[in-house]
Amino acid sequence: MIDREETIKVLTTKGKVVQASVSAVEGGFGGLAEINGEWRFLALTAKGGVFSKNGKDAVVEDREGEELVELPLNSNNAALVRRYMKMATPTACGVKGLSVGFTDYLGLVTPVLPQLFAQRHLKPVLVETSTAVSKATGTTLLTSIDAATWSAVKAGLKNGYGATINGIYDEMEFLTALLYMYSCLGFDGAHWAAPEIAKLPVAEVEKKYQALPEEFRKALEASYLNAEFKVGNTLIKFAGKEELERIVLVYAGTIMHTQTAYDTYFRNTPWPLDLEVDLSRAGLPLTPAAHYLIINELERNGVKPTSICIDAKLDPAAVTTDLSKHAAIAATFGYRLSINNADLYVPELSKVAKVTGGKVHFKLNNVLWLAVLATLAAKAPDVLAQAAAQAGLPVPTAANLEPGAKLAQQYAAAYAAILGAEKDHKAVAIPEAVRKNLDVYEQKVTALVGHYLNQL
């Protein structure tokens, strides 16, 4: 019978093995090794195993009663590893506890990020991406989760990790997320909202509202007017009929499309899967009353999101003056809050964690990008100068790239212009420069991410 210690001895004959990565797979054990300067996945299993049968560009060495399979780190093989190695499989975060997510625009394979979570009671979401991010950076939804897969294995991450596709509102993106084994699907509920309603005159709002079915209107008014809703230690109350009308008209599409997405993709999933509903949209602040109505209507129809996302950049009131109410609503209905752009626009994560009772997901969308820029500042100032010119921004100093700095926020917003994967954008050779100085990048990640983790 194949055991782990035997496997390590055998794999070591092929190259430099990362022992922490060696873990059980179907029919044996597998892990990562560096062979002649190239990283490979090696598996020692019973003969005729899944890696020799389904691996792409596999090199198979027959042994007595066993086979040693060498696989390059391509997408086909990453998918196999995600399916057959427990530590490589993204898992849902659920509705309890605290988690932290990251967006990697370059798709770097490095164990440093998952290693930061080894001794912490925090779950990392190693990839937070979207179709928009992929288009802007030249990555894909597949290459992003592949990089997270190999990074988790290389780190020997034992406590699990998550993987999220944000901004989904298209059916094909749901199917893609499931195919690639993402553990969280971030539905863009705000995409289906009608923010123009918020600016209409009262008479026009009333006209549109009266066009709704009478039975529907009466049910809404009976539920929400002249009523107070106790959530935690606070009360939610609608100011009057006009506020109710506007909220209903603005978010009717959000409620309807969220219901459809849940019924289609989440009602009977054979494995735990997170549904995050993003209610953030520029120019459309989420009021506690709107939050309550949306989730109450969804709850009535059996829709149970894992988290509701609010954006600290687009809607600062949601994470400051209104935070306790949003947190109380989330607690009452049994899901977590998720805070987008938390690294640059939430001064103290610890305060938010306290208000939410430790049931929150922080999206540190920008911190890995700042680590990239800090690496360029230290090791490739000429490349950084090109990036600055591309963005139309001053060349930053190290201090300018600290998360609280205004220029850091501007560089975070300019990532698409700098990376230049979109049409008419000239690409800057940033990935090459960072991979050449990966040790420095890992130091920057350790320092920057550690700054936030130490708050939690």
Side-chain angles (χ1 to χ4, degrees):
M1 182 177 179
I2 300 170
D3 62 27
R4 186 173 183 274
E5 292 306 314
E6 176 196 350
T7 299
I8 292 174
K9 289 177 182 179
V10 173
L11 301 191
T12 302
T13 66
K14 304 294 291 185
K16 185 179 179 181
V17 177
V18 180
Q19 292 196 20
S21 74
V22 179
S23 186
V25 296
E26 185 175 285
F29 288 81
L32 288 176
E34 188 175 15
I35 303 173
N36 298 324
E38 297 288 337
W39 285 98
R40 294 288 188 267
F41 182 81
L42 300 177
L44 181 66
T45 70
K47 286 189 175 181
V50 294
F51 296 107
S52 61
K53 283 183 177 179
N54 302 313
K56 185 176 181 181
D57 301 324
V59 177
V60 182
E61 177 186 321
D62 284 330
R63 300 171 62 85
E64 187 176 346
E66 303 166 351
E67 62 185 15
L68 178 60
V69 184
E70 179 183 328
L71 299 175
L73 307 191
N74 56 43
S75 289
N76 177 88
N77 298 335
L80 278 178
V81 171
R82 277 195 296 277
R83 182 173 180 183
Y84 294 105
M85 177 180 272
K86 185 177 180 181
M87 77 162 72
T89 307
T91 55
C93 290
V95 297
K96 297 180 180 179
L98 202 155
S99 56
V100 185
F102 303 90
T103 301
D104 177 8
Y105 298 140
L106 304 187
L108 299 169
V109 176
T110 167
V112 66
L113 187 59
Q115 284 172 346
L116 292 174
F117 289 82
Q119 304 300 322
R120 297 177 184 271
H121 295 292
L122 305 172
K123 184 169 183 175
V125 176
L126 295 181
V127 52
E128 296 247 14
T129 190
S130 66
T131 298
V133 166
S134 294
K135 287 180 179 178
T137 60
T139 58
T140 69
L141 300 177
L142 181 56
T143 58
S144 292
I145 196 169
D146 288 350
T149 300
W150 298 125
S151 295
V153 174
K154 200 171 184 180
L157 186 63
K158 304 298 184 185
N159 298 325
Y161 73 99
T164 300
I165 296 182
N166 296 308
I168 298 178
Y169 57 86
D170 176 85
E171 182 172 349
M172 286 306 299
E173 290 182 310
F174 274 110
L175 296 175
T176 298
L178 294 173
L179 176 64
Y180 295 164
M181 297 181 70
Y182 277 83
S183 60
C184 176
L185 281 63
F187 183 66
D188 189 356
H191 172 83
W192 301 102
E196 65 277 6
I197 297 293
K199 300 177 182 178
L200 291 179
V202 175
E204 187 66 23
V205 171
E206 176 67 17
K207 181 180 177 181
K208 288 181 177 294
Y209 179 75
Q210 290 299 322
L212 297 174
E214 182 180 6
E215 184 178 350
F216 176 64
R217 287 186 281 111
K218 286 184 176 181
L220 286 171
E221 290 163 16
S223 294
Y224 297 104
L225 291 182
N226 303 314
E228 292 182 339
F229 304 94
K230 192 172 190 309
V231 290
N233 295 320
T234 190
L235 294 175
I236 303 295
K237 185 176 181 180
F238 290 78
K241 191 165 180 286
E242 182 193 338
E243 182 184 25
L244 176 63
E245 290 174 353
R246 287 188 189 273
I247 290 173
V248 170
L249 292 172
V250 168
Y251 291 106
T254 295
I255 295 169
M256 180 182 69
H257 285 282
T258 303
Q259 172 81 60
T260 300
Y262 185 83
D263 289 343
T264 305
Y265 299 103
F266 292 87
R267 185 72 70 179
N268 296 302
T269 56
W271 62 87
L273 189 65
D274 289 332
L275 169 63
E276 179 172 286
V277 180
D278 191 349
L279 297 180
S280 302
R281 183 163 172 173
L284 186 62
L286 180 69
T287 66
H291 183 178
Y292 185 89
L293 185 145
I294 292 166
I295 194 61
N296 195 47
E297 292 302 307
L298 291 174
E299 176 81 8
R300 284 177 171 177
N301 290 292
V303 178
K304 296 187 178 298
T306 311
S307 57
I308 293 292
C309 182
I310 52 183
D311 194 311
K313 178 183 178 183
L314 300 180
D315 191 358
V319 297
T320 52
T321 55
D322 292 335
L323 178 63
S324 60
K325 290 185 178 181
H326 287 302
I329 294 169
T332 297
F333 286 95
Y335 54 84
R336 299 191 302 164
L337 286 185
S338 178
I339 314 294
N340 202 25
N341 285 306
D343 47 2
L344 296 188
Y345 295 92
V346 176
E348 293 184 58
L349 301 188
S350 57
K351 287 187 176 180
V352 175
K354 183 177 181 180
V355 171
T356 58
K359 295 170 61 176
V360 62
H361 175 63
F362 291 112
K363 295 177 183 283
L364 306 187
N365 319 59
N366 311 285
V367 67
L368 298 185
W369 178 234
L370 294 184
V372 165
L373 297 174
T375 301
L376 299 181
K379 289 296 188 178
D382 55 329
V383 178
L384 183 60
Q386 294 174 38
Q390 193 81 339
L393 294 170
V395 178
T397 64
N400 294 147
L401 295 172
E402 292 294 323
K406 183 70 174 178
L407 197 55
Q409 296 177 350
Q410 294 173 318
Y411 267 94
Y415 77 91
I418 294 171
L419 290 172
E422 293 185 316
K423 188 178 179 181
D424 300 327
H425 284 215
K426 183 180 178 182
V428 181
I430 292 174
E432 297 83 353
V434 175
R435 288 188 175 96
K436 185 178 178 181
N437 297 284
L438 195 59
D439 57 335
V440 176
Y441 170 75
E442 291 176 339
Q443 293 169 13
K444 300 298 183 184
V445 169
T446 299
L448 285 168
V449 174
H451 165 75
Y452 293 104
L453 297 186
N454 289 337
Q455 296 181 35
L456 303 172

